[in-house]
Amino acid sequence: MALDKRGLELTAASDEAAAALDTALDDFLAFGRQAGPLLKAAFDADAEMPMAHVLQGCFFLLMGVGALRPRAARSGEQADRFAATARERAHVDALSRWAAGDTAGAVRRFEDILLDHPRDILAIRLAHYLHFYHGALAQHRDSVARVLPAWDETVPGYGYVLGMRAFGLEEAGDYARAEAFGRRAVAIDPSDAWSVHAVAHVMEMQGRASEGIAWVRENEVHWENRVHNFRHHLWWHQALFHLALDEADAALNLYDNRFRADEASDDVLDIANAASMLLRLHFRGIDAEGRWEELAHHAAARIADGVFPFFDAHYMAALAMAGDTDGVRTHLDIMAARSGETTADAVYNDVGRPLCGAIAAFGAGKPRRCFELLEPIRYDLVRLGGSHAQRDVFTQLLIAASKEAGHERERRALLAERAALKPGAVAFWMH
């Protein structure tokens, strides 16, 4: 047995193997680019280290690719062969549930782990992730609050925990405390992209667009060359701020030269960033000029994944707006055939399918049908997961559909609602 850098017991062949695993985990927490090679180094130090197999399985699942679920399950089976502690066995169980699509069971296991081991930062991060994509806002907020008393500046990774606390508070609407926690985390580590992101969310929700642009830019030097594809999401936030200032050209420039500069990327968040931004630009009358077609090519390859309906809605946007009727039909058929065996299936049935149908109708030039499908589920969209800022594109879709369908009463009501929720975010929609 060995101890990891936070004092947790770890089955490992040597202290060096445990340290190698710590290094890989640290890079993962930092959204770094070397987590894979660093995990390989941990395996080189100890091929039987159970938590290395667990971390590998989690990496497979976090990619959001359905075809990698069996590989994640095999990682869990390998970890199970070597697990020697109750904590390690609980991680194996959580991984196995997640790989089988039981994400609700997986997050319960992560929370169980944290009751006994509140410094298990892998369990903290994975619970944070799954609560987020379950749309479980209170759980997302409270999960980190429960473990925070076990952390302080002397515990490695404290800044990451503060950043997660910040984001949970922001999504729950506690903006002042969210910003304080986020800024404190960034002061500890300016390259902490998740914490920079949490503060950007506060500024987005409060309509502080000019501050938001400055915030992303002033921190960019610290994370631009260190962070993996998540850096694209920070540039997406910068583009949102430009849109709020009616600077569509600046947003499109960021699309082309920052967060969609790599047109070969089929990363799930990269596709979501791009589809969401192109929709927002479409609502402003900006011609995508072939960008939808490029994006639809990647979306078509992902529609069988069925990981989270949040991503499927963005795949549908790419397909529908590119005019790929075969892809749209296939995507809807795949969702209709879901078995009901996974945590996500109920969300697909209740929210994901009607939302995707609404997006498909809008892309096909049928705004009335879009409105009919989207309006009844508008308050259920939180179940998709994702952030308020991300899901706002679907509210914008509803407003655009109401306008194109000639539903003037409904449009006025939606604009009044939006003005109350986001003062200053309505002027464009009045045209």
Side-chain angles (χ1 to χ4, degrees), residues 66-350:
L68 292 178
R69 280 178 171 172
R71 295 181 67 179
R74 287 195 292 274
S75 293
E77 292 165 3
Q78 286 292 95
D80 193 37
R81 292 176 56 198
F82 308 121
T85 71
R87 183 179 73 92
E88 290 168 344
R89 288 190 292 272
H91 268 286
V92 170
D93 184 39
L95 173 60
S96 299
R97 290 172 183 267
W98 188 0
D102 180 15
T103 53
V107 78
R108 284 194 298 270
R109 293 300 281 142
F110 289 132
E111 293 291 4
D112 287 343
I113 291 168
L114 292 172
L115 292 175
D116 293 318
H117 306 285
R119 290 185 178 179
D120 188 326
I121 199 166
L122 178 61
I124 298 171
R125 174 54 65 87
L126 296 176
H128 189 65
Y129 175 85
L130 290 177
H131 286 315
F132 178 63
Y133 281 112
H134 286 162
L137 302 185
Q139 295 93 320
H140 188 241
R141 175 196 63 204
D142 296 344
S143 177
V144 183
R146 288 192 289 270
V147 302
L148 200 56
W151 289 80
D152 58 36
E153 292 85 349
T154 67
V155 184
Y158 180 53
Y160 298 131
V161 177
L162 293 178
M164 287 184 275
R165 177 66 172 143
F167 191 45
L169 287 166
E170 180 277 322
E171 286 299 292
D174 192 344
Y175 300 131
R177 285 205 298 161
E179 183 167 357
F181 273 104
R183 286 184 178 275
R184 187 176 174 196
V186 174
I188 291 171
D189 180 2
S191 69
D192 178 0
W194 191 251
S195 299
V196 172
H197 155 264
V199 176
H201 269 272
V202 171
M203 294 174 174
E204 166 67 21
M205 298 307 294
Q206 293 185 324
R208 296 156 56 191
S210 296
E211 281 185 78
I213 292 169
W215 172 254
V216 175
R217 285 178 174 169
E218 73 186 56
N219 287 287
E220 184 177 14
V221 66
H222 301 291
W223 47 259
E224 179 180 6
N225 295 315
R226 177 178 175 182
V227 170
H228 61 45
N229 286 35
F230 189 73
R231 70 191 188 278
H232 300 158
H233 188 61
L234 289 170
W235 286 319
W236 176 85
H237 273 281
Q238 185 179 342
L240 282 190
F241 292 130
H242 281 294
L243 282 185
L245 296 173
D246 204 24
E247 297 170 353
D249 288 346
L252 193 59
N253 182 60
L254 284 163
Y255 182 101
D256 288 334
N257 298 301
R258 290 298 195 179
F259 61 88
R260 196 60 197 166
D262 179 8
E263 293 189 347
S265 174
D266 64 352
D267 176 82
V268 293
L269 187 56
D270 282 349
I271 294 174
N273 289 333
S276 176
M277 185 54 58
L278 287 183
L279 270 178
R280 287 169 161 88
L281 290 167
H282 175 83
F283 299 147
R284 292 172 176 267
I286 305 298
D287 187 351
E289 297 181 348
R291 294 177 182 87
W292 280 122
E293 288 74 15
E294 178 273 317
L295 199 59
H297 169 74
H298 296 290
R302 304 305 301 266
I303 57 178
D305 288 336
V307 176
F308 289 116
F310 172 83
F311 291 113
D312 282 271
H314 291 83
Y315 303 154
M316 179 58 79
L319 295 168
M321 299 304 290
D324 184 351
T325 55
D326 289 340
V328 166
R329 188 179 305 109
T330 299
H331 196 10
L332 290 172
D333 288 345
I334 289 172
M335 284 191 286
R338 293 185 70 90
S339 66
E341 296 177 355
T342 74
T343 300
D345 285 345
V347 184
Y348 274 104
N349 290 334
D350 298 343

Side-chain angles (χ1 to χ4, degrees), residues 7-25:
L8 297 176
E9 198 172 44
L10 189 70
T11 303
S14 64
D15 290 340
E16 290 75 18
L21 182 63
D22 275 334
T23 302
L25 180 55

